[in-house]
Amino acid sequence: MRDKIIISAFLIIILGIYGCGKSEFSRESSTDIRKPISWGKSSVIFVFADDKVWDYGKLEILKSLEREFFTTTNEKLFTVQREDISQIKRYYKFANLLFLCDTNSNKPTSQYVKSILPEQTSSLSDSIPADIIAVKDQWSQNQAVVFVIGKDIETLLLYTFQKSNGIFKIYMNREIERIKSLIYKPGLNQEEIEYQKEHYPWHLELPNQYIPFRRDDENHFVSYLLRVEKHPDRFLAVYWENMPENNVNKEWLWNRRLELGKKYYEGDEFLSEDVTQEKTQFLSYNGFKLSGRWQNPDYFVGGAFVSF
């Protein structure tokens, strides 16, 4: 019998030396520990919008924020709940809040946003008709609050639809930060990090729970296993190669991921209809991302993966 169980998450990082270009932006974040810790499910985004704004914008907002991801069964990262602005104080400690404000309106939600963002809402004009203000830890720790403001309802909704991917990424990146803080809470695997520094042209800030699973230094591959009782195994793998010329593209990543799965994980594979490919950033470098479901037809197991 093979030495791994059914897996729900499998991360493999493909690092091509000289394979990607440096991104223009890189930013670190920190949490305001003076504020109370946010509560409630971080997978829920609470939306505050006046009736007319919500009636016209609901479908597009749900389409963007409740998008599905390939996992063992397709699932949404977030769900959306509209709430009444009169109850806003109840939500000051919740993780994700979204406000839609028509600055030309005197309806309750718009009035509330104008009262707490008077400078930003009053500065809108024909040259800058709409804006997004993203605030970290507005009322509590680990909180993401987004205000979308427009000089009228048509401008507000059009701008919200145009920037829907950016709004989604604000909440997704905040969720990743929350998960990261939990993963690194037990500390780092210093012994393995020292081994990486000595033997590899790279090293990772490897969480303490991850231990070596398969090591093939000669062929530039190493994988690590996180095993927690009553939870699926999780794998982190790194493959690297010298690449004087940039040969990295979507096809390269696709083919290399298939090769590594078959070689080191006893025939793991994936189908085109179960994965997505896109351009992305990884460690502030421009690159490619392949994610979705893998399966092994010999052992009747499968799970989710993401490769960079």
Side-chain angles (χ1 to χ4, degrees):
M1 185 65 180
R2 71 185 302 186
D3 52 359
K4 67 174 179 176
I5 62 173
I6 295 176
I7 301 169
S8 69
F10 170 32
L11 170 65
I12 178 168
I13 306 170
I14 308 293
L15 300 178
I17 308 303
Y18 307 115
C20 301
K22 186 73 172 180
S23 169
E24 180 182 356
F25 301 104
S26 177
R27 181 173 60 186
E28 295 183 356
S29 60
S30 58
T31 297
D32 189 345
I33 61 174
R34 297 170 297 179
K35 296 180 179 178
I37 297 174
S38 61
W39 56 17
K41 294 181 179 180
S42 61
S43 59
V44 178
I45 298 174
F46 295 100
V47 178
F48 299 88
D50 295 317
D51 290 343
K52 195 172 182 180
V53 173
W54 185 246
D55 289 342
Y56 286 125
K58 176 181 177 180
L59 291 180
E60 287 295 324
I61 292 169
L62 294 179
K63 180 181 176 182
S64 177
L65 296 182
E66 292 191 345
R67 64 186 69 182
E68 291 186 338
F69 287 81
F70 284 119
T71 58
T72 49
T73 58
N74 289 1
E75 57 183 304
K76 299 171 183 177
L77 182 58
F78 300 110
T79 57
V80 172
Q81 291 183 208
R82 187 197 175 197
E83 300 296 339
D84 194 316
I85 195 64
S86 65
Q87 304 296 316
I88 182 58
K89 290 185 179 180
R90 293 176 51 192
Y91 294 91
Y92 280 167
K93 290 185 179 181
F94 282 80
N96 300 312
L97 305 178
L98 172 62
F99 296 85
L100 303 176
C101 171
D102 168 12
T103 61
N104 194 41
S105 169
N106 290 320
K107 296 295 183 180
T109 300
S110 296
Q111 285 284 69
Y112 174 80
V113 174
K114 288 190 287 185
S115 71
I116 61 174
L117 297 175
E119 183 176 345
Q120 293 91 331
T121 54
S122 63
S123 64
L124 295 183
S125 62
D126 290 338
S127 59
I128 306 178
D131 200 3
I132 293 176
I133 299 98
V135 184
K136 179 179 177 180
D137 300 348
Q138 170 79 3
W139 293 291
S140 59
Q141 296 179 38
N142 301 314
Q143 185 182 55
V145 180
V146 177
F147 301 90
V148 187
I149 58 176
K151 68 183 185 69
D152 52 51
I153 187 171
E154 292 81 5
T155 303
L156 168 64
L157 291 173
L158 180 60
Y159 190 75
T160 301
F161 301 160
Q162 290 174 340
K163 301 296 182 181
S164 59
N165 279 333
I167 295 171
F168 176 83
K169 288 181 179 179
I170 290 171
Y171 291 111
M172 183 177 69
N173 291 337
R174 197 70 181 100
E175 181 69 359
I176 290 172
E177 286 184 21
R178 297 183 189 112
I179 295 171
K180 182 179 177 181
S181 67
L182 293 174
I183 291 174
Y184 283 101
K185 192 173 183 179
L188 299 175
N189 186 336
Q190 294 292 352
E191 181 179 352
E192 180 60 23
I193 293 173
E194 291 304 315
Y195 182 93
Q196 293 172 358
K197 291 180 179 179
E198 182 179 351
H199 295 87
Y200 305 149
W202 54 267
H203 70 275
L204 300 174
E205 290 186 348
L206 189 69
N208 194 47
Q209 311 98 306
Y210 281 86
I211 59 175
F213 176 69
R214 289 213 170 103
R215 195 189 299 278
D216 185 359
D217 290 355
E218 182 178 355
N219 292 298
H220 299 169
F221 179 86
V222 61
S223 67
Y224 303 96
L225 166 65
L226 168 61
R227 176 164 289 169
V228 179
E229 187 178 2
K230 297 182 180 180
H231 290 274
D233 287 353
R234 284 165 170 77
F235 292 85
L236 168 64
V238 181
Y239 165 81
W240 67 101
E241 65 178 64
N242 292 318
M243 190 176 290
E245 295 184 9
N246 187 355
N247 296 318
V248 174
N249 53 37
K250 290 183 178 180
E251 291 73 26
W252 182 93
L253 177 57
W254 180 288
N255 293 330
R256 193 67 82 245
R257 173 62 179 82
L258 278 175
E259 291 173 7
L260 296 172
K262 291 181 182 297
K263 181 176 181 179
Y264 294 105
Y265 292 94
E266 303 178 58
D268 289 357
E269 60 184 34
F270 53 85
L271 304 175
S272 58
E273 60 265 29
D274 290 336
V275 297
T276 58
Q277 284 187 287
E278 58 189 300
K279 292 183 178 179
T280 190
Q281 291 185 347
F282 183 77
L283 297 178
S284 300
Y285 286 86
N286 297 320
F288 300 95
K289 177 182 176 181
L290 173 66
S291 61
R293 286 190 291 267
W294 64 269
Q295 57 274 321
N296 190 298
D298 294 331
Y299 294 96
F300 300 102
V301 293
F305 78 92
V306 58
S307 301
F308 296 93

